[in-house]
């Protein structure tokens, strides 16, 4: 099952429509989308408006992959349970967010190589076509955190 989520705060019809179009084109029927208060209602995948936090986490755990915006809550949940992630960041120019912080988040994770990123909806179908090749996202600390942890361990060991 592929879990598609747009977070809890703002609609993201561009993501929902793109994945729904892909589901219709491929005939893939094992998708569940949490669509929030968006105007677009999917025709080719099951959907709900909202999920309680426990149900949300259960869907992430059950998913083969998670397709989402570049919101940290969803990213961290998927990292914690080791699910492959596909991001489509919201864009301020399209009035999907107040600024482009999600583009910055997506660029960071794309450069790190842990998460697949489509920077526009046109890139999304090719990534979705190869979901089976995506590796689970790893929840590992950044290198600077590893250096800090090592320094603290050395300090404690030196007593």
């Amino acid at each position: 099952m592929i879990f598609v989520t747009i977070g809890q705060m703002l609609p993201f019809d561009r993501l929902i429509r793109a994945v729904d179009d892909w589901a219709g084109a491929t005939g893939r029927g094992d998708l569940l989308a949490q669509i929030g208060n968006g105007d677009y209602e999917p025709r080719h995948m099951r959907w709900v408006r909202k999920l309680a936090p426990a149900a949300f986490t259960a869907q992430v755990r059950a998913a083969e992959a998670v397709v989402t915006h570049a919101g940290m809550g969803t990213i961290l949940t998927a990292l914690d349970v080791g699910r492959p992630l596909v991001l489509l960041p919201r864009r301020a120019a399209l009035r999907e967010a107040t600024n482009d912080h999600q583009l910055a988040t997506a660029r960071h994770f794309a450069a790190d190589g842990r998460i697949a990123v489509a920077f526009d909806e046109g890139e999304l179908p090719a990534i979705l076509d190869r979901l089976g090749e995506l590796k689970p996202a790893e929840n590992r600390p950044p290198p600077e955190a590893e250096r800090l942890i090592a320094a603290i361990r050395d300090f404690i060991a030196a007593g």
Side-chain angles (χ1 to χ4, degrees):
M1 183 265 300
I2 299 168
F3 181 48
V4 184
T5 179
I6 56 94
Q8 296 292 325
M9 298 178 66
L10 299 169
F12 195 14
D13 287 346
R14 183 168 60 99
L15 172 62
I16 299 302
R17 184 177 286 110
V19 178
D20 192 45
D21 288 347
W22 175 82
T26 62
R28 181 116 186 211
D30 62 336
L31 289 89
L32 173 65
Q34 175 263 315
I35 68 168
N37 295 325
D39 292 327
Y40 182 79
E41 294 181 353
R43 297 172 289 138
H44 306 289
M45 59 184 173
R46 292 179 303 124
W47 58 274
V48 296
R49 292 270 176 204
K50 303 231 184 247
L51 289 169
F56 177 87
T57 301
Q59 290 301 326
V60 173
R61 284 186 194 283
E64 167 192 338
V66 177
V67 181
T68 187
H69 66 135
M72 287 309 299
T74 304
I75 292 170
L76 291 173
T77 301
L79 287 171
D80 282 344
V81 300
R83 291 299 172 265
L85 269 166
V86 177
L87 303 182
L88 177 66
R90 296 175 187 269
R91 294 179 27 211
L94 300 176
R95 297 179 178 218
E96 297 165 340
T98 56
N99 61 41
D100 281 330
H101 69 282
Q102 287 203 2
L103 279 171
T105 299
R107 284 185 190 113
H108 169 79
F109 281 107
D112 190 44
R114 289 189 277 176
I115 296 174
V117 177
F119 285 98
D120 67 56
E121 63 275 22
E123 297 175 355
L124 198 53
I127 295 171
L128 296 175
D129 285 343
R130 55 183 186 77
L131 278 178
E133 300 170 21
L134 298 180
K135 295 180 181 174
E138 295 178 62
N139 193 5
R140 64 177 189 252
E144 47 287 348
E146 293 173 3
R147 287 192 295 276
L148 176 62
I149 291 168
I152 292 170
R153 282 191 180 123
D154 290 346
F155 177 78
I156 291 170

